[in-house]
Amino acid sequence: MMAATMKDIAKKTGLGLATISSYLNGGNVREKNRIKIEAAIEELHFEVNEVARGLKTNRTKTIGVILPELNIAFCTQIITEVEDLLRNQGYATIICDCRSDEKREEEAVEFLLHRRVDGLIIMPSGKHGSYLKKFISAGKPVVLIDRELEEIECDCVLVDNESAVKDAVEKLILAGHTRIGIIIGPSDIYTAKRRYTGYCMAMEQAGLAVEERLIVRGDYTIEGGAAAMKKLVNKNPDMTAVFVSNCEMTMGAIIEINELGIKIPEQLSFVGFDNLEFAKANIPKLSIVTQPTKEIAGQVFELLLERLEGTDKQKKSQTVKLKTGFIEGKSVNVSGRKEWSSIY
């Protein structure tokens, strides 16, 4: 049995193809005609051929999403919210996990371009993203999350990373700490650069030296956070506080602190980044910087929809920068700590 067509619906209802096409594409039709068309669709088991419609309209109602890691809570919280917002507007999503591999990211962009997605949301793991130029040249909107890319002109949603870290480190300074270590991300990653700047700003404005031995770089993973914490402790027996600038590294640092038998906050004050559930589950409850994931998702959705359905598609690209929050826990001790006699 052959699938029903628009002509079959027209024959069944006595309506013109233009009226039926308008209904199927979300246009306005008279109420009595809508009732006729819907009855015919149900009786004939009519299904819209999305591939054929996409070829005709050059729109597939599909959005590509590229993430560095699907198992990062920050990524999944944003994309889950964005996907819900897009679905309510009739858009489907194709999600690609590039596992923080720039080559995989480039391949994902090519794949989504060939699948003719209408737009792209990407949290880039690469440094330049020159492979996005082909996508942008095709007139398809791109929205970056969390990181800017050199030489790429497109919309972007960020948080104010400098202020987030500056404010957090200042809280440690106000509590009387002067030997404050930091676990920061890779030097070539946008967020790591900005967060390192925030740390330096807080230290310098308080008249404290920025010492290399108090700075250890990790790789934005749990394992990297644990290794960085161990290195930081070994290099700085006089350190009284630490700030960890990423969610996964925060978890890794706490694991290593537990392994070393260091007591928070009696021996070491601690401020982490993101993952409210983990912060609450820890004993003591951690003080953490929080990122507004729902607000980020809303801004990403609005920017993308404006490009897809707005009248001014040549409008200059926008960068939206959002404020972070801070949740007070019980992981910061006022002024100093007991010696790590159990370790050394």
Side-chain angles (χ1 to χ4, degrees):
M1 182 177 177
M2 292 184 65
T5 66
M6 283 176 57
K7 288 182 179 179
D8 295 324
I9 296 174
K11 185 177 179 181
K12 190 76 177 175
T13 60
L15 299 171
L17 289 174
T19 301
I20 295 162
S21 177
S22 178
Y23 169 84
L24 293 174
N25 287 288
N28 293 322
V29 297
R30 292 179 180 177
E31 180 65 13
K32 64 178 184 179
N33 291 340
R34 181 188 66 77
I35 294 170
K36 285 182 182 180
I37 293 168
E38 289 178 354
I41 285 173
E42 186 174 353
E43 183 180 340
L44 297 170
H45 305 292
F46 174 82
E47 293 182 5
V48 177
N49 187 330
E50 294 291 354
V51 174
R53 180 157 73 176
L55 289 170
K56 187 175 181 180
T57 64
N58 202 30
R59 295 284 294 276
T60 62
K61 297 291 280 188
T62 305
I63 304 300
V65 179
I66 300 177
L67 302 174
E69 300 281 350
L70 272 174
N71 62 353
I72 294 177
F74 175 67
C75 298
T76 53
Q77 287 168 9
I78 292 171
I79 295 308
T80 298
E81 182 72 21
V82 170
E83 191 176 26
D84 286 344
L85 293 168
L86 287 169
R87 188 184 296 114
N88 290 337
Q89 293 294 321
Y91 287 90
T93 53
I94 301 175
I95 299 175
C96 301
D97 177 1
C98 70
R99 301 173 197 176
S100 299
D101 184 319
E102 195 167 0
K103 181 63 177 174
R104 282 178 180 267
E105 188 172 285
E106 184 174 356
E107 290 170 354
V109 170
E110 285 291 326
F111 166 74
L112 293 169
L113 187 61
H114 292 146
R115 290 298 297 265
R116 304 178 67 253
V117 297
D118 295 336
L120 179 65
I121 298 168
I122 179 169
M123 191 179 295
S125 56
K127 297 180 286 293
H128 304 292
S130 57
Y131 39 85
L132 289 172
K133 290 181 179 178
K134 189 186 294 185
F135 205 101
I136 295 169
S137 296
K140 296 178 183 289
V142 175
V143 181
L144 303 179
I145 303 177
D146 198 43
R147 300 168 191 177
E148 289 181 314
L149 290 173
E150 297 174 10
E151 301 175 6
I152 298 297
E153 185 71 21
C154 64
D155 295 323
C156 187
V157 181
L158 311 168
V159 299
D160 190 344
N161 288 284
E162 294 98 330
S163 294
V165 176
K166 180 176 179 289
D167 293 347
V169 174
E170 282 177 349
K171 289 179 185 296
L172 292 169
I173 294 169
L174 288 171
H177 297 278
T178 59
R179 308 296 301 158
I180 303 168
I182 185 169
I183 296 176
I184 203 73
S187 60
D188 57 355
I189 297 295
Y190 170 85
T191 51
K193 290 178 183 177
R194 298 298 181 266
R195 292 171 192 175
Y196 175 69
T197 299
Y199 170 79
C200 293
M201 288 168 63
M203 297 292 281
E204 289 167 359
Q205 286 181 18
L208 300 173
V210 176
E211 298 182 40
E212 283 301 316
R213 68 187 180 103
L214 285 166
I215 302 160
V216 177
R217 293 194 176 274
D219 59 0
Y220 281 176
T221 67
I222 293 174
E223 296 78 13
M229 191 69 235
K230 186 173 184 178
K231 187 175 180 181
L232 200 55
V233 167
N234 288 335
K235 289 168 67 176
N236 300 282
D238 58 342
M239 181 176 66
T240 65
V242 64
F243 174 75
V244 185
S245 66
N246 159 268
C247 173
E248 279 64 39
M249 293 196 300
T250 293
M251 295 175 68
I254 289 294
I255 290 169
E256 185 61 28
I257 284 170
N258 291 337
E259 288 290 318
L260 293 171
I262 297 171
K263 290 183 173 60
I264 295 175
E266 295 88 348
Q267 294 175 301
L268 183 69
S269 289
F270 187 99
V271 177
F273 209 95
D274 262 346
N275 201 332
L276 183 57
E277 291 77 12
F278 175 75
K280 286 180 177 178
N282 194 73
I283 301 175
K285 179 182 173 182
L286 301 179
S287 294
I288 57 164
V289 174
T290 60
Q291 297 192 82
T293 52
K294 191 166 185 176
E295 193 177 351
I296 291 169
Q299 290 288 342
V300 169
F301 167 74
E302 287 180 17
L303 288 171
L304 187 65
L305 202 67
E306 185 179 352
R307 296 292 179 188
L308 290 168
E309 302 184 359
T311 54
D312 186 7
K313 292 182 172 57
Q314 301 303 316
K315 186 177 178 181
K316 188 177 179 181
S317 62
Q318 301 178 64
T319 296
V320 177
K321 189 175 286 190
L322 303 173
K323 284 286 184 183
T324 56
F326 190 86
I327 302 294
E328 294 279 2
K330 296 182 178 180
S331 59
V332 176
N333 204 14
V334 176
S335 186
R337 57 150 174 83
K338 297 177 183 177
E339 291 300 315
W340 296 340
S341 54
S342 61
I343 303 171
Y344 296 99

